[in-house]
Amino acid sequence: MSSPPVDDQDSPAPPRRERPSRLTDIAVALLFAVADAVIVVVGAIWHFVIGMGTAPSPDSPRPAQSRDIPVLIWLVIWGIPAVAAAGAFVHARLRMPVTAVVQGLFTLVCTLLAVAWTRMLLS
């Protein structure tokens, strides 16, 4: 004789992760917002300073020569938005919506800064 069919309701369900409290989510989001703002401001200042330092002078008769850009520079420029996107994804999976939105906005700003840095370095 065959055994009776096993009912799915009798099997133990995998434990669901508890969602962090809204207060924890907001506190973490505020900490990330402050850190992200510092990173964006420092990145924008570096962009301005380095851009002004490498700009050709108006009295220069010849165009600036192209130079090789180390791979490490490209990894830093495009690695920061990649890490920010991973952070936004992780916080979304942890069910922390406020922090995920803050990290998503930071990803957007970092991507815009990376595009600006890339344009500056390639010009």
Side-chain angles (χ1 to χ4, degrees), residues 3-69:
S3 62
V6 178
D7 193 8
D8 288 339
Q9 294 175 356
D10 292 338
S11 64
R16 270 184 82 181
R17 266 189 281 196
E18 288 291 322
R19 181 174 173 258
S21 72
R22 182 70 65 179
L23 183 61
T24 302
D25 186 19
I26 292 171
V28 170
L30 286 173
L31 287 172
F32 273 119
V34 170
D36 295 346
V38 169
I39 291 169
V40 168
V41 167
V42 168
I45 289 172
W46 279 357
H47 178 72
F48 178 75
V49 169
I50 292 173
M52 293 301 287
T54 60
S57 72
D59 300 329
S60 175
R62 61 186 181 134
Q65 306 242 342
S66 67
R67 59 192 180 275
D68 290 334
I69 301 162

